[in-house]
Amino acid sequence: MSAVNQKSKRKTLTFTANYNFRKGAYLALTVNKTKGVMSYKKVKKSEINAEIIKELN
């Protein structure tokens, strides 16, 4: 999974959940450097900064 932080830096993460997300879904992740993804929530594309969307595409 490709992820982009608030400073528009791209990172590849491994993420598993007990939920099947639709293809192209956007998630806001809380990430701990040592533990990895701590939590997530689904967000709409319109809620995401335009620079981050540009970096993801």
Side-chain angles (χ1 to χ4, degrees):
M1 152 194 271
S2 289
V4 177
N5 69 11
Q6 293 176 342
K7 296 178 183 177
S8 297
K9 291 189 178 185
R10 182 182 291 268
K11 186 173 185 177
T12 300
L13 299 173
T14 301
F15 174 73
T16 59
N18 293 331
Y19 182 82
N20 291 324
F21 296 103
R22 67 173 169 76
K23 186 174 182 173
Y26 291 94
L27 302 174
L29 305 174
T30 302
V31 180
N32 179 292
K33 288 183 180 184
T34 57
K35 296 180 180 180
V37 178
M38 301 296 293
S39 67
Y40 66 91
K41 73 175 187 172
K42 293 191 286 184
V43 294
K44 295 178 183 176
K45 186 176 182 178
S46 61
E47 297 176 87
I48 303 171
N49 184 314
E51 290 180 27
I52 292 173
I53 294 293
K54 182 180 176 184
E55 184 66 31
L56 286 171
N57 295 328

Coordinates of all heavy atoms in Angstrom, one line a residue:
M1 N 0.8 -1.2 0.0 CA 0.0 0.0 0.0 C 0.9 1.2 0.0 O 1.8 1.3 0.8 CB -0.9 0.0 1.2 CG -1.3 1.3 1.7 SD -2.1 1.3 3.4 CE -3.7 1.0 3.0
S2 N 0.6 2.2 -0.9 CA 1.3 3.4 -0.9 C 0.6 4.4 0.1 O -0.6 4.5 0.2 CB 1.3 4.1 -2.3 OG 2.1 3.3 -3.1
A3 N 1.5 5.1 0.9 CA 1.0 6.1 1.8 C 1.8 7.4 1.6 O 2.9 7.3 1.2 CB 1.1 5.6 3.2
V4 N 1.1 8.5 1.9 CA 1.8 9.8 1.9 C 1.5 10.5 3.2 O 0.3 10.6 3.6 CB 1.2 10.6 0.7 CG1 1.8 12.0 0.6 CG2 1.4 9.9 -0.6
N5 N 2.5 11.0 3.8 CA 2.3 11.7 5.1 C 1.9 13.2 4.8 O 1.8 13.6 3.7 CB 3.6 11.6 6.0 CG 4.8 12.3 5.5 OD1 4.7 13.2 4.6 ND2 5.9 12.1 6.1
Q6 N 1.7 13.9 5.9 CA 1.3 15.3 5.8 C 2.3 16.2 5.1 O 2.0 17.3 4.7 CB 0.9 15.8 7.2 CG -0.3 15.1 7.8 CD -0.6 15.6 9.2 OE1 0.2 16.2 9.9 NE2 -1.8 15.3 9.6
K7 N 3.6 15.8 5.1 CA 4.6 16.5 4.4 C 4.8 16.1 3.0 O 5.8 16.4 2.3 CB 5.9 16.4 5.2 CG 5.8 17.0 6.6 CD 7.1 16.8 7.3 CE 7.0 17.4 8.7 NZ 8.2 17.1 9.5
S8 N 3.8 15.3 2.4 CA 3.8 14.8 1.1 C 5.0 13.8 0.8 O 5.4 13.7 -0.4 CB 3.8 15.9 0.0 OG 2.6 16.7 0.2
K9 N 5.5 13.1 1.8 CA 6.5 12.1 1.6 C 5.9 10.8 1.4 O 5.1 10.4 2.3 CB 7.5 12.1 2.7 CG 8.4 13.4 2.8 CD 9.5 13.2 3.8 CE 10.4 14.5 3.7 NZ 11.5 14.3 4.6
R10 N 6.2 10.0 0.4 CA 5.6 8.7 0.1 C 6.4 7.6 0.8 O 7.6 7.7 1.0 CB 5.7 8.5 -1.4 CG 5.1 7.1 -1.8 CD 5.3 6.9 -3.3 NE 4.5 7.8 -4.1 CZ 3.2 7.5 -4.5 NH1 2.7 6.4 -4.2 NH2 2.6 8.4 -5.2
K11 N 5.6 6.6 1.3 CA 6.1 5.5 2.0 C 5.3 4.3 1.6 O 4.1 4.4 1.4 CB 6.1 5.7 3.5 CG 6.8 4.6 4.3 CD 6.9 5.0 5.7 CE 7.7 4.0 6.5 NZ 7.9 4.3 7.9
T12 N 5.9 3.1 1.5 CA 5.1 1.9 1.3 C 4.9 1.2 2.6 O 5.9 1.0 3.4 CB 5.9 0.9 0.3 OG1 6.1 1.6 -0.9 CG2 5.1 -0.3 0.1
L13 N 3.7 0.8 2.9 CA 3.3 0.2 4.2 C 2.6 -1.2 3.9 O 1.9 -1.3 2.9 CB 2.3 1.0 5.0 CG 2.8 2.4 5.4 CD1 1.6 3.2 6.0 CD2 3.9 2.3 6.4
T14 N 2.7 -2.1 4.8 CA 2.0 -3.3 4.8 C 0.9 -3.1 5.8 O 1.1 -2.7 7.0 CB 2.8 -4.5 5.2 OG1 3.9 -4.6 4.3 CG2 2.0 -5.8 5.1
F15 N -0.4 -3.4 5.4 CA -1.5 -3.1 6.2 C -2.6 -4.2 6.1 O -2.9 -4.5 4.9 CB -2.1 -1.7 5.8 CG -3.4 -1.3 6.5 CD1 -3.4 -1.0 7.9 CD2 -4.6 -1.3 5.9 CE1 -4.5 -0.6 8.5 CE2 -5.7 -1.0 6.5 CZ -5.7 -0.6 7.8
T16 N -3.0 -4.7 7.1 CA -4.1 -5.7 7.1 C -5.2 -5.3 8.0 O -5.0 -4.6 9.1 CB -3.6 -7.1 7.5 OG1 -3.1 -7.0 8.8 CG2 -2.6 -7.6 6.6
A17 N -6.5 -5.6 7.7 CA -7.6 -5.3 8.5 C -8.7 -6.4 8.3 O -8.6 -7.1 7.3 CB -8.2 -3.9 8.1
N18 N -9.6 -6.5 9.2 CA -10.7 -7.4 9.1 C -11.9 -6.9 8.4 O -13.0 -7.1 8.7 CB -11.1 -7.9 10.5 CG -10.0 -8.6 11.2 OD1 -9.2 -9.3 10.6 ND2 -10.0 -8.6 12.5
Y19 N -11.6 -6.1 7.3 CA -12.6 -5.4 6.5 C -12.1 -5.4 5.1 O -10.9 -5.1 4.9 CB -12.8 -4.0 7.1 CG -13.9 -3.2 6.4 CD1 -15.2 -3.4 6.7 CD2 -13.6 -2.3 5.4 CE1 -16.2 -2.7 6.1 CE2 -14.6 -1.6 4.7 CZ -15.9 -1.8 5.1 OH -16.9 -1.1 4.4
N20 N -13.0 -5.6 4.1 CA -12.6 -5.5 2.7 C -13.0 -4.2 2.2 O -14.1 -3.8 2.0 CB -13.4 -6.6 1.9 CG -12.9 -8.0 2.2 OD1 -11.7 -8.2 2.4 ND2 -13.8 -8.9 2.2
F21 N -11.9 -3.3 2.0 CA -12.1 -2.0 1.5 C -12.3 -2.0 0.0 O -11.8 -2.9 -0.7 CB -10.9 -1.1 1.8 CG -10.7 -0.9 3.3 CD1 -9.7 -1.6 3.9 CD2 -11.5 0.0 4.0 CE1 -9.5 -1.4 5.3 CE2 -11.3 0.2 5.3 CZ -10.3 -0.5 6.0
R22 N -13.1 -1.1 -0.5 CA -13.3 -1.0 -2.0 C -12.0 -0.6 -2.6 O -11.2 0.1 -2.0 CB -14.4 -0.1 -2.3 CG -14.2 1.3 -2.0 CD -15.2 2.3 -2.6 NE -15.1 3.6 -2.0 CZ -14.2 4.5 -2.4 NH1 -13.3 4.2 -3.4 NH2 -14.1 5.7 -1.9
K23 N -11.8 -1.0 -3.8 CA -10.6 -0.6 -4.5 C -10.6 1.0 -4.7 O -11.6 1.5 -5.1 CB -10.5 -1.2 -5.9 CG -9.2 -1.0 -6.6 CD -9.1 -1.8 -7.9 CE -7.8 -1.5 -8.6 NZ -7.6 -2.4 -9.7
G24 N -9.5 1.6 -4.4 CA -9.4 3.1 -4.5 C -9.9 3.8 -3.3 O -10.0 5.0 -3.3
A25 N -10.2 3.1 -2.2 CA -10.6 3.8 -0.9 C -9.4 4.6 -0.3 O -8.3 4.2 -0.5 CB -11.1 2.7 0.1
Y26 N -9.8 5.6 0.3 CA -8.8 6.5 1.0 C -8.9 6.3 2.5 O -10.0 6.3 3.0 CB -9.0 7.9 0.6 CG -8.6 8.2 -0.8 CD1 -9.6 8.3 -1.8 CD2 -7.3 8.5 -1.2 CE1 -9.3 8.5 -3.1 CE2 -7.0 8.8 -2.5 CZ -8.0 8.8 -3.5 OH -7.7 9.0 -4.8
L27 N -7.7 6.1 3.2 CA -7.7 5.9 4.6 C -6.8 6.9 5.2 O -5.7 7.2 4.7 CB -7.2 4.5 4.9 CG -8.0 3.3 4.3 CD1 -7.2 2.0 4.7 CD2 -9.3 3.3 4.9
A28 N -7.1 7.4 6.4 CA -6.3 8.2 7.2 C -5.7 7.3 8.2 O -6.4 6.6 9.0 CB -7.0 9.3 7.9
L29 N -4.3 7.1 8.3 CA -3.7 6.2 9.1 C -3.0 6.9 10.3 O -2.4 8.0 10.1 CB -2.6 5.4 8.4 CG -3.1 4.6 7.1 CD1 -1.9 4.0 6.4 CD2 -4.1 3.6 7.5
T30 N -3.0 6.3 11.4 CA -2.1 6.7 12.5 C -1.0 5.7 12.6 O -1.3 4.5 12.8 CB -2.9 6.7 13.9 OG1 -4.0 7.6 13.7 CG2 -2.0 7.2 15.0
V31 N 0.2 6.1 12.4 CA 1.4 5.2 12.3 C 2.4 5.5 13.4 O 2.8 6.6 13.6 CB 2.1 5.3 10.9 CG1 3.2 4.4 10.8 CG2 1.0 5.1 9.8
N32 N 2.8 4.4 14.1 CA 3.9 4.5 15.1 C 5.1 4.0 14.4 O 5.1 2.9 13.7 CB 3.5 3.7 16.3 CG 4.5 3.6 17.3 OD1 5.6 3.1 17.2 ND2 4.2 4.2 18.5
K33 N 6.3 4.6 14.5 CA 7.5 4.2 13.9 C 7.9 2.8 14.2 O 8.4 2.1 13.4 CB 8.7 5.1 14.2 CG 8.5 6.5 13.5 CD 9.7 7.4 13.9 CE 9.6 8.7 13.2 NZ 10.7 9.5 13.4
T34 N 7.7 2.3 15.4 CA 8.1 1.0 15.8 C 7.0 -0.1 15.7 O 7.3 -1.2 15.3 CB 8.7 0.9 17.3 OG1 7.6 1.4 18.1 CG2 9.9 1.8 17.4
K35 N 5.8 0.3 15.9 CA 4.7 -0.6 15.9 C 3.9 -0.7 14.6 O 3.1 -1.6 14.3 CB 3.7 -0.3 17.0 CG 4.3 -0.4 18.4 CD 3.3 -0.1 19.5 CE 3.9 -0.3 20.8 NZ 2.9 0.1 21.9
G36 N 4.1 0.3 13.7 CA 3.4 0.3 12.4 C 2.1 1.0 12.5 O 1.9 1.9 13.3
V37 N 1.1 0.6 11.8 CA -0.2 1.2 11.7 C -1.0 0.9 13.0 O -1.2 -0.2 13.4 CB -1.1 0.7 10.5 CG1 -2.5 1.4 10.5 CG2 -0.4 1.0 9.2
M38 N -1.3 2.0 13.7 CA -2.0 1.8 15.0 C -3.5 1.9 14.9 O -4.3 1.3 15.6 CB -1.6 2.9 16.0 CG -0.1 2.9 16.3 SD 0.5 1.4 17.1 CE -0.3 1.6 18.7
S39 N -4.0 2.8 13.9 CA -5.4 2.9 13.7 C -5.7 3.5 12.3 O -4.7 4.0 11.7 CB -6.1 3.8 14.8 OG -5.6 5.1 14.7
Y40 N -6.9 3.5 11.9 CA -7.2 4.0 10.6 C -8.7 4.5 10.6 O -9.5 4.1 11.4 CB -7.0 3.0 9.4 CG -8.0 1.8 9.5 CD1 -9.2 1.8 8.9 CD2 -7.7 0.7 10.3 CE1 -10.1 0.7 9.0 CE2 -8.5 -0.4 10.4 CZ -9.8 -0.4 9.7 OH -10.6 -1.4 9.9
K41 N -9.0 5.3 9.6 CA -10.4 5.7 9.4 C -10.6 6.0 7.9 O -9.7 6.5 7.2 CB -10.9 6.8 10.2 CG -10.3 8.2 9.8 CD -11.0 9.3 10.7 CE -10.5 10.6 10.2 NZ -11.2 11.7 10.8
K42 N -11.7 5.6 7.3 CA -12.0 5.9 5.9 C -12.3 7.4 5.8 O -13.0 8.0 6.7 CB -13.2 5.1 5.4 CG -13.0 3.7 5.4 CD -14.1 2.9 4.7 CE -15.3 2.8 5.5 NZ -16.4 2.0 4.8
V43 N -11.8 8.0 4.7 CA -12.0 9.4 4.5 C -12.4 9.6 3.0 O -12.1 8.8 2.2 CB -10.8 10.3 4.8 CG1 -10.5 10.3 6.3 CG2 -9.6 9.9 4.0
K44 N -13.1 10.7 2.7 CA -13.5 11.0 1.3 C -12.3 11.7 0.6 O -11.5 12.4 1.3 CB -14.7 11.9 1.3 CG -15.9 11.3 1.9 CD -17.1 12.3 1.9 CE -18.3 11.6 2.5 NZ -19.4 12.6 2.6
K45 N -12.2 11.5 -0.6 CA -11.1 12.2 -1.4 C -11.2 13.7 -1.2 O -10.1 14.3 -1.1 CB -11.3 11.8 -2.9 CG -10.1 12.3 -3.8 CD -10.3 11.8 -5.2 CE -9.1 12.2 -6.1 NZ -9.3 11.7 -7.4
S46 N -12.3 14.3 -1.1 CA -12.5 15.7 -1.0 C -11.9 16.2 0.4 O -11.7 17.4 0.5 CB -13.9 16.1 -1.1 OG -14.7 15.5 -0.1
E47 N -11.7 15.3 1.3 CA -11.2 15.7 2.6 C -9.6 15.7 2.7 O -9.0 16.1 3.7 CB -11.7 14.8 3.7 CG -13.1 14.7 3.9 CD -13.6 13.7 4.9 OE1 -13.6 14.0 6.1 OE2 -13.9 12.6 4.5
I48 N -9.0 15.3 1.6 CA -7.6 15.2 1.6 C -6.9 16.3 0.8 O -7.4 16.8 -0.2 CB -7.2 13.8 0.9 CG1 -7.8 12.7 1.6 CG2 -5.7 13.6 0.8 CD1 -7.7 11.3 0.9
N49 N -5.8 16.8 1.3 CA -5.1 17.9 0.8 C -4.7 17.6 -0.7 O -4.3 16.5 -1.0 CB -3.8 18.1 1.6 CG -3.0 19.3 1.1 OD1 -2.8 19.5 -0.1 ND2 -2.5 20.1 2.1
A50 N -4.9 18.5 -1.6 CA -4.7 18.4 -3.0 C -3.2 17.9 -3.3 O -3.0 17.1 -4.3 CB -5.0 19.6 -3.8
E51 N -2.2 18.4 -2.6 CA -0.8 18.0 -2.8 C -0.6 16.5 -2.5 O 0.1 15.8 -3.2 CB 0.1 18.8 -1.9 CG 0.2 20.2 -2.3 CD 1.1 21.0 -1.4 OE1 2.0 20.4 -0.8 OE2 0.9 22.2 -1.3
I52 N -1.3 16.0 -1.5 CA -1.2 14.6 -1.2 C -1.9 13.7 -2.3 O -1.4 12.7 -2.7 CB -1.9 14.3 0.2 CG1 -1.0 15.0 1.3 CG2 -2.0 12.8 0.5 CD1 -1.5 14.9 2.7
I53 N -3.1 14.1 -2.8 CA -3.7 13.4 -3.8 C -2.8 13.4 -5.1 O -2.7 12.3 -5.7 CB -5.1 14.1 -4.2 CG1 -6.1 14.0 -3.0 CG2 -5.7 13.5 -5.5 CD1 -6.5 12.6 -2.7
K54 N -2.2 14.5 -5.4 CA -1.3 14.6 -6.5 C -0.1 13.6 -6.4 O 0.3 12.9 -7.3 CB -0.7 16.0 -6.7 CG 0.2 16.2 -7.8 CD 0.7 17.6 -7.9 CE 1.7 17.8 -9.0 NZ 2.2 19.2 -9.1
E55 N 0.4 13.5 -5.2 CA 1.5 12.5 -4.9 C 1.1 11.1 -5.0 O 1.8 10.2 -5.5 CB 2.1 12.8 -3.5 CG 3.3 12.0 -3.1 CD 4.5 12.3 -4.0 OE1 4.7 13.4 -4.4 OE2 5.3 11.3 -4.2
L56 N -0.1 10.8 -4.6 CA -0.6 9.4 -4.7 C -0.9 9.0 -6.2 O -0.8 7.8 -6.5 CB -1.9 9.3 -3.9 CG -1.8 9.2 -2.4 CD1 -3.1 9.3 -1.7 CD2 -1.0 8.0 -2.0
N57 N -1.2 9.9 -7.0 CA -1.5 9.6 -8.4 C -0.2 9.6 -9.2 O 0.6 9.1 -9.5 CB -2.5 10.6 -9.1 CG -3.8 10.5 -8.4 OD1 -4.2 9.4 -8.0 ND2 -4.5 11.6 -8.4

